[in-house]
Amino acid sequence: MTTNSNAGKHAQTPAIYPAKTKAQITIIFFAVIGFYLYSMIRTQAEMVGGFGNALSDMWRVMEKFFPPNFQVVGAIWPAMATTIQMAIIATTVAAILTVPLALLSAQNVTTFKPLYYVTRTFLNILRTIPDLVLAVIFVGLFGIGVFPGILALIIFSLGILAKLISETIEAVDMNPLEAMRASGANTLQMIFYGLVPQVLPQFTSFVLYVFEINIRASVVLGLVGAGGIGLVLDQQLGFYNYPNAMTIIIVIFVVVIAIEYVSNKIREALI
Amino acid sequence: MIEFKNVGLVYPNGTEGLKNVNVTIKDGEFVVIVGLSGAGKSTFIRSINRLVTPTSGELLVDNEDILTYRGANLRKLRTKIGMIFQNYNLVKRSNVLKNVLAGRLGHTGTLRSIFSMYKKEDVALAYESLQRVNIAEKIHNRADELSGGQQQRVSIARVLTQKPSYILADEPVASLDPPTSHQVMTYLKKINKEDNITTIVNLHFIDMAMEYADRIIGMRAGEVVFDGPASEVTEKTFEEIYGRTIREDDLRGGADES
C-alpha cells in the first residue's frame, strides 16, 4: 500500500539538492580532476625518474645507518635535554605573551574595532613566517646557539597559540560577563571571573599541544644552527657518521612519543 | 526612588524601545512589568542599570540623573542595583560559592578579586545569602551540576551578596516549570519584604503578575499603557495591555502545587 503510493508519487519527489547546486558541484568536481590530471602529465617524467633512482639507492643508504651506535646515547643526552629545555622555555614565554594578544584579537572582548584589526593583522603576519626562516634570521643576528632557537620558537608558537585561544575566547558564553557588568564589576574583573574559568581547560590543552610541536620544531631548528639535538644530528651527518645519527634519530623518536603520550593523557583529563 | 521623566530610547537600527515613559517607583515597592515580547519590558528594566542607554529624557535613581554616568560613576550605580536574568547567567564551570562571591566584585579591588582574596565578612555574607535561599549545602558544587531552579536561586544569592537597594529581574521564571517558578517568585517577594529592597520584575504570565505584584505596569510597543495597584487589575486590563484576548499560554498556572 505504502510502496504503491510512493511509486505513484515518484515523479513528484523533490531532489535533496536543487539542480543548480548539482550542476555547480559537478563542474567543480571535474575541474579538480582535470587539474590533477594536468599536473600529473606535466610532472610525470621527473617523478618516475626520481622514484626509480631513489629505490635503487635506498638499500645502500639504509645499510650505512645500521646497526645504530648505542654507545653514544650518554653523550647525546645533554643535547637532547637542551632541546627539551628550549621547548619548555619557548612554550612558557609564548603562553604568557599569548594572554594579552589573544584577548586583544577576540572580537567579543576587544570591542574597539581598530585595535582588534591591528592585533589580528599582526598575528596573521606572524603566522605566515615559517619557523625555519625565523631561525635562520635569528641565527644570523645572534650567532649559533640556543638563544636564537628559543626566540624563533617563541614567535612561531605565539602565532599558533594566540590564534587558537582568541577563537576559544570568541566562543565563550557571554551571559555571566553581562551579569558581572550589571553588578558593577570592571573589565579586568569580568575577564578574570567570567572568562578565565571558561577558557582555562582549552588554554592548558593548547599550550601542551604547542609544547609537542615545539619539541619537534626545535629538532629541525637545530639543523640551521639553533642549538640542541638538531645541531648534533647535523654534525654527525656532516661527518658521515651514520650509526651515530641513527642513534640520535631513535632517541628523538622515543622522546617525542613519550612526551606526546603524557600530554595526551593530561589533555584527555582536562576536557 | 526611580523616576523616568519623558524617557525615550531609539536603537541604532531605528527601532523605538521606549516612547515617552513617565514612571515613578517608590522605595520598597514590588513592581511587575507585563507586556508581550518586544513590548519594551527588557529595555525598560535595562535602562535602570544602564545596560542600555536611553536616548532622550531623564532617568533619576536616588535623585541623580544616571544617563550622564560613565566609568567609575556607572560602576558605582550598578553596585546598588542587583540583576537576575532569564538564563541565570552563572559561570557554569565555577563552583556555587565563587559564583555568589561575584556579586561582591563591584565592592572589591581589582587585585584582591583576581587573587580571590575576599574579606572574611564577604565570604560569610555569601554563605548567609545561600542559606537564605536554602541552597547552602551545594556551595562546592559546580554551577552546571544544579537544576534550573537551583541555578536561579544561586543567582538570587549572588544578588543578595551584592547588598543592593534595587533588584531588577528580567523574565526570571521564563525557563522554569510552574512549581519552581512560584518558588523563585516567593523568594523574590520575601526578600523584598524582609530587606525592603525595591524590586522590579518582568513577567509575561498574568496570573503570576497578579499574585505577586504590589503594582503592575503594562507596556505595549514601548509605551506604558497601564500603571496601577495589582488589586485594581482584572483580566479585562490585561486584554487592553496585550491588545488581544487572554490565552492559555499567558498563564503559568500551578499556584496550588507549590
Side-chain angles (χ1 to χ4, degrees), chain A residues 173 175 178 181 186 189 193, chain B residues 46 89 105 108 110 113 118:
Chain A
D173 174 14
N175 283 338
E178 187 191 28
R181 189 168 72 232
N186 62 34
Q189 289 175 322
Y193 254 70
Chain B
R46 280 159 194 257
N89 293 14
L105 285 177
T108 310
T110 309
S113 53
Y118 280 97

Side-chain angles (χ1 to χ4, degrees), chain B residues 129-148:
Chain B
S129 309
L130 281 164
Q131 281 173 322
R132 286 187 67 185
V133 292
N134 284 322
I135 200 153
E137 74 279 5
K138 301 275 189 194
I139 46 169
H140 291 129
N141 285 57
R142 259 170 59 159
D144 55 5
E145 294 167 359
L146 306 184
S147 69

